[in-house]
Amino acid sequence: MKHALFYSILTLILGCSMSSNNTINENNMKLTSDNPFFEKSSLYMNYPPFDLIKNKHYMPAFLKGMSDHLNEIELIINISEKPTFDNTIVAMETSGQLLDRVATVFFALISADTNDEMEDIRADIAPKLSAHSDKILLNFKLFKKVEELYESRNTLNLDSESVLLIEKYYTDFIRSGAQLSGEEKEKLKLINTEISVLQTNFSQNVLKEVNASAVTINTRSELDGLSDGAIESAANEALSRGLEGKYVIALKNTSGQPSLSSLKNRSIREKIHKASLSRGSRGGDFDNRKILVKVLKLRAEKALLMGYENHAAYVLETQTAQNPQNVNRRLSSLSPKSLLNAKKEAEDLQKMIKSEGKDFKLASWDWDFYTEKVRAKRYSFDANQLKPYFEMDNVLQNGVFYAATMLFGITFKERFDLPLYHEDVRVFEVFNEDNSVLALFLFDGYARTTKRGGAWMNAYVSQSELKDNLPVVANHQNVVKPPKGEPALMSFDEVITMFHEFGHALHGMFSDVKYPYFSGTSVPRDFVEYPSQVNEMWAVWPSVLKNYAVHYKTGKAMPKELLDKVLSAQKFNQGFSTTEYLASSILDQSLHQLKPSDIPEAQNLMEFEKNILIDAGISFEVIPPRYRSTYFSHIIGGYSAGYYSYIWSEVLDADTVEWFKSNGGLTRKNGDRFRAALLSKGGSKDAIQLFIDFKGSEPNIQPLLDRKGLN
């Protein structure tokens, strides 16, 4: 996300919708003196005053924030002096602070802890924010000031970060339609507004459909294979829905579901998996097919209006990939070998089924269950053996934090005096080695019905010298909350996710830039996953794993033989994981490389999706895409034509892991180099150049091929 407010506002509202009324309700303009957004937070490091924030405060703050922001922009436009870097660019960087405060908190909590009233506010404010952004980005007088500075940027005696800031502003104005004709601008405004509506409708449907598609089970015996804690959680979920005596398996937003690896009852596995795959395309109030098709058409029309062949070409122009052709080549080069590996894995699973005296053909709902059986046979352990060694707090403090201390010298102290938006949230103050304050870090680990699926990082306060701000960042996961008094035991995948998201947090916390625009994770989308993927390596680094992988009851370390098996199994099931990921990436690219006339009708969308995967040579019935299009939240939001970013960044990640291994591994020297050369720079320098500055050479794809067994 770009942190200059009026460039970030459309990113903030991705997934937001509107009501049919686009006019500002004057009753909402009542400016109460107790509105906590009207003044900069008085809490430590501008930490949000969550205890004071009520739903009633959002709309007045949004409306006043937009009004104040437009007034500030008008002052910039109408200044009589010749445009300068300070009176134009810096002035825009520091404008809209009230709007920034309310938008940052509101959209963070919409993801983390929403409610019906907030969803109504989101529906009402989305088109207003879209129109507000257009008023600034399509203002010809303001653009001409930026253009004048752009044309003279190399004669202004500015440092490189300031010159780059001018270039970014100029590019963003151009890409937002500043050079379009008056008629074209009006058409663009209508498209932007309608997209903002549909995106939120889609996102709201995804959350509602996840909850509505939860699977009800009648008897405990049908849940054979699940742990006692998981069964109790299912009973509690049923009780919360008024289904006493039954069990409810809540769904996560991915196609695959965690329970499928343990449930012995094949018909229950099938029921859960089919419920997952049908989300958003089964009819009813939360069907997303029409919404997605309309979004795709509008995006394609907007791309043509802006002079691009398709939406993917528009998006990729500012990414390190540069164009769809480069992305297509990368994905198509990996797909055949990935699918070949997956089919070999499927053969092993079918053999396991046959060895048990069963004659059914492997189906998608069988994959996880029999994968664990093959894993147990091949490596003499199954995934459930690991969970007692992965208690959440221990993983966080003695794993994630420990690795960061060893690598960067930073330390953590939990704070109990700052307000929380939910009782599950924890706050830590982060210190540099010299005891100077680095950041505040929030951790929100548990799943709940008011929280969107997946895992993510966001910044409540972004670092910048200009605003004299230190970072306040947050990580979120969706680990199932255990019954009261029971430990929160994580799967190995959830452990990896915790390390991954903390890599994003480090990127935000180590930011050391002058301007908000470049702060923290404000880098190209296909680069932003790179530091987080690198941080995953420490989850299995022997000294780190030894420090946190201890039994929650006995405190004994994971036995060396089990530890060795975990490490030796790293390449296991890579065919499946790479294939399901590539299928979603290709789906995303293909849908966003269509012209308006080529986009299918809603009733044909799922068949169209199926044919995309067949044509791309990545179709395998027993491995559905990680996300089907109707619940693919990434591509309705900030990752449209960008889901390829994970594999693109993984090239850099795998290469960097090899660099660390060749240079001594988990050492302060290596950490300091990574922090100084790359993590601290945010978006203040070309992304690939940052990689070269750190590693000393161009990226090499071979380590990725070796990692995934694709060479």
Side-chain angles (χ1 to χ4, degrees):
M1 179 187 299
K2 296 178 175 66
H3 294 280
L5 175 65
F6 50 92
Y7 293 131
S8 69
I9 202 71
L10 286 180
T11 304
L12 281 170
I13 65 173
L14 286 170
C16 297
S17 75
M18 60 179 285
S19 66
S20 59
N21 178 14
N22 288 332
T23 61
I24 293 178
N25 184 341
E26 295 300 328
N27 292 329
N28 288 326
M29 288 297 290
K30 183 180 179 182
L31 307 182
T32 57
S33 59
D34 66 344
N35 193 312
F37 292 114
F38 287 171
E39 299 293 338
K40 190 175 181 179
S41 173
S42 61
L43 295 178
Y44 185 55
M45 290 174 57
N46 304 319
Y47 181 93
F50 292 118
D51 56 332
L52 302 179
I53 296 170
K54 310 297 181 187
N55 288 341
K56 66 180 182 179
H57 296 137
Y58 289 121
M59 187 58 78
F62 269 122
L63 298 177
K64 187 175 189 301
M66 287 187 286
S67 177
D68 289 355
H69 192 204
L70 289 179
N71 290 336
E72 292 163 351
I73 294 298
E74 281 300 311
L75 290 175
I76 297 170
I77 293 170
N78 295 327
I79 194 169
S80 58
E81 290 86 354
K82 180 182 175 67
T84 66
F85 180 73
D86 286 336
N87 71 22
T88 303
I89 303 298
V90 172
M92 285 192 286
E93 277 287 273
T94 57
S95 67
Q97 294 193 35
L98 168 55
L99 184 54
D100 190 22
R101 286 194 296 272
V102 62
T104 297
V105 171
F106 180 78
F107 289 107
L109 296 189
I110 276 289
S111 292
D113 194 32
T114 190
N115 56 58
D116 290 342
E117 190 175 352
M118 288 179 69
E119 292 297 334
D120 289 341
I121 294 169
R122 176 161 78 151
D124 192 36
I125 199 62
K128 296 177 174 64
L129 290 173
S130 178
H132 174 76
S133 182
D134 283 341
K135 286 177 184 177
I136 297 170
L137 294 168
L138 299 179
N139 188 294
F140 187 71
K141 290 182 179 179
L142 182 60
F143 168 65
K144 296 304 289 185
K145 285 178 175 283
V146 173
E147 184 179 47
E148 184 176 337
L149 291 168
Y150 173 79
E151 291 175 346
S152 61
R153 64 193 184 283
N154 294 321
T155 66
L156 299 177
N157 196 29
L158 298 171
D159 59 64
S160 59
E161 186 178 341
S162 299
V163 171
L164 181 61
L165 186 63
I166 294 175
E167 293 171 348
K168 292 293 187 182
Y169 267 64
Y170 177 75
T171 299
D172 285 344
F173 267 92
I174 296 292
R175 286 174 51 79
S176 297
Q179 290 183 316
L180 296 177
S181 68
E183 182 179 346
E184 289 170 330
K185 285 181 180 178
E186 291 306 311
K187 183 177 180 180
L188 180 62
K189 290 177 184 178
L190 292 174
I191 290 175
N192 286 340
T193 297
E194 190 169 0
I195 288 176
S196 76
V197 173
L198 294 166
Q199 286 173 163
T200 295
N201 290 341
F202 185 100
S203 295
Q204 290 176 332
N205 281 350
V206 168
L207 180 59
K208 292 173 182 175
E209 184 79 321
V210 164
N211 292 326
S213 298
V215 177
T216 300
I217 308 297
N218 292 321
T219 66
R220 184 185 179 96
S221 63
E222 292 175 292
L223 298 179
D224 186 22
L226 294 187
S227 67
D228 289 341
I231 293 173
E232 187 174 349
S233 293
N236 290 339
E237 180 64 28
L239 194 60
S240 72
R241 297 170 180 242
L243 299 172
E244 186 174 0
K246 296 185 183 297
Y247 304 84
V248 169
I249 302 296
L251 300 183
K252 291 194 173 184
N253 198 42
T254 49
S255 294
Q257 299 298 321
S259 59
L260 298 182
S261 64
S262 303
L263 283 166
K264 295 180 180 180
N265 188 315
R266 189 171 188 245
S267 64
I268 297 297
R269 294 201 305 268
E270 179 180 4
K271 184 177 181 180
I272 291 171
H273 200 43
K274 285 184 174 179
S276 177
L277 294 178
S278 68
R279 283 174 289 134
S281 61
R282 62 191 179 114
D285 293 340
F286 311 135
D287 195 300
N288 267 332
R289 287 173 292 183
K290 288 182 179 179
I291 295 174
L292 179 58
V293 164
K294 186 61 176 175
V295 169
L296 293 172
K297 287 184 177 180
L298 289 169
R299 285 174 173 169
E301 290 171 5
K302 179 177 176 178
L304 293 176
L305 182 64
M306 298 294 294
Y308 295 86
E309 185 177 0
N310 52 55
H311 179 72
Y314 171 76
V315 168
L316 294 171
E317 182 185 52
T318 57
Q319 307 303 306
T320 64
Q322 299 182 327
N323 58 62
Q325 292 73 32
N326 289 338
V327 175
N328 291 344
R329 278 194 292 270
R330 172 67 53 79
L331 296 178
S332 62
S333 71
L334 297 174
S335 295
K337 292 180 179 178
S338 172
L339 187 58
L340 181 63
N341 285 356
K343 288 184 176 180
K344 290 178 180 177
E345 292 167 1
E347 291 174 2
D348 290 339
L349 301 185
Q350 192 66 59
K351 289 177 183 176
M352 176 59 71
I353 293 170
K354 185 177 180 180
S355 72
E356 294 184 342
K358 298 171 182 175
D359 60 0
F360 60 81
K361 185 178 180 181
L362 176 73
S364 57
W365 49 87
D366 299 315
W367 190 286
D368 290 350
F369 184 73
Y370 282 95
T371 288
E372 290 309 315
K373 286 180 173 288
V374 172
R375 190 202 309 272
K377 181 179 180 181
R378 186 171 299 172
Y379 301 101
S380 301
F381 82 96
D382 65 60
N384 287 328
Q385 283 181 269
L386 303 179
K387 282 190 173 185
Y389 296 95
F390 297 147
E391 190 275 323
M392 181 190 283
D393 180 64
N394 196 54
V395 175
L396 178 67
Q397 301 211 52
N398 293 318
V400 173
F401 290 175
Y402 172 80
T405 299
M406 293 298 99
L407 192 60
F408 303 111
I410 60 176
T411 53
F412 304 80
K413 181 180 179 181
E414 190 160 8
R415 297 281 299 256
F416 299 97
D417 58 326
L418 294 169
L420 308 174
Y421 60 83
H422 191 279
E423 63 181 3
D424 291 340
V425 179
R426 303 171 68 184
V427 183
F428 297 85
E429 190 168 8
V430 190
F431 301 90
N432 288 303
E433 190 173 32
D434 63 2
N435 288 324
S436 61
V437 176
L438 175 66
L440 287 175
F441 171 71
L442 291 78
F443 179 69
D444 182 357
Y446 293 125
R448 50 184 172 266
T449 57
T450 59
K451 188 179 188 181
R452 74 172 171 88
W456 68 97
M457 167 266 189
N458 66 271
Y460 284 100
V461 180
S462 298
Q463 179 275 332
S464 81
E465 292 178 16
L466 181 65
K467 292 186 176 182
D468 195 26
N469 282 341
L470 290 176
V472 178
V473 304
N475 277 173
H476 311 77
Q477 280 187 251
N478 270 280
V479 177
V480 175
K481 190 173 183 178
K484 190 173 183 179
E486 294 293 317
L489 303 181
M490 303 170 67
S491 70
F492 190 47
D493 284 345
E494 289 169 335
V495 171
I496 297 296
T497 296
M498 185 183 284
F499 277 85
H500 176 99
E501 293 306 326
F502 196 72
H504 286 306
L506 289 170
H507 205 180
M509 291 191 291
F510 285 150
S511 179
D512 187 16
V513 299
K514 185 181 299 183
Y515 303 110
Y517 190 104
F518 297 128
S519 182
T521 57
S522 297
V523 297
R525 183 66 71 182
D526 54 8
F527 191 80
V528 74
E529 297 298 336
Y530 158 54
S532 55
Q533 288 173 324
V534 169
N535 204 59
E536 294 177 20
M537 72 180 289
W538 308 120
V540 295
W541 196 259
S543 61
V544 178
L545 189 57
K546 182 179 179 181
N547 198 63
Y548 75 85
V550 299
H551 199 284
Y552 78 97
K553 283 185 178 179
T554 66
K556 292 183 178 180
M558 182 184 292
K560 185 178 184 303
E561 57 271 22
L562 181 56
L563 178 60
D564 290 342
K565 291 170 184 175
V566 171
L567 297 177
S568 65
Q570 286 299 290
K571 290 185 180 180
F572 181 70
N573 210 37
Q574 278 292 313
F576 170 87
S577 60
T578 306
T579 297
E580 68 159 2
Y581 165 75
L582 289 174
S584 288
S585 299
I586 288 169
L587 186 61
D588 170 33
Q589 280 300 312
S590 298
L591 291 173
H592 285 115
Q593 289 178 26
L594 296 172
K595 295 178 180 178
S597 58
D598 296 329
I599 294 169
E601 295 300 317
Q603 64 269 24
N604 301 324
L605 179 62
M606 307 319 293
E607 185 68 20
F608 190 82
E609 174 183 310
K610 179 181 178 181
N611 290 333
I612 285 174
L613 301 180
I614 292 173
D615 293 344
I618 197 68
S619 177
F620 192 23
E621 187 176 359
V622 293
I623 303 181
R626 186 173 298 171
Y627 301 96
R628 300 190 79 184
S629 58
T630 52
Y631 50 88
F632 202 168
S633 295
H634 289 76
I635 65 169
I636 206 67
Y639 278 80
S640 65
Y643 194 62
Y644 77 95
S645 299
Y646 291 90
I647 200 76
W648 196 271
S649 293
E650 198 175 356
V651 172
L652 308 181
D653 156 38
D655 201 10
T656 298
V657 168
E658 291 305 308
W659 182 93
F660 270 100
K661 289 179 178 178
S662 300
N663 286 275
L666 188 70
T667 68
R668 283 297 316 284
K669 180 180 178 181
N670 289 343
D672 289 346
R673 179 185 176 99
F674 197 42
R675 175 177 178 174
L678 195 146
L679 294 178
S680 65
K681 302 299 183 184
S684 65
K685 196 172 184 179
D686 175 75
I688 294 301
Q689 188 58 52
L690 288 176
F691 175 86
I692 295 171
D693 291 347
F694 163 70
K695 183 175 176 284
S697 63
E698 297 277 350
N700 178 14
I701 195 173
Q702 191 59 46
L704 175 67
L705 300 179
D706 293 340
R707 171 189 288 182
K708 293 191 172 295
L710 299 178
N711 49 8

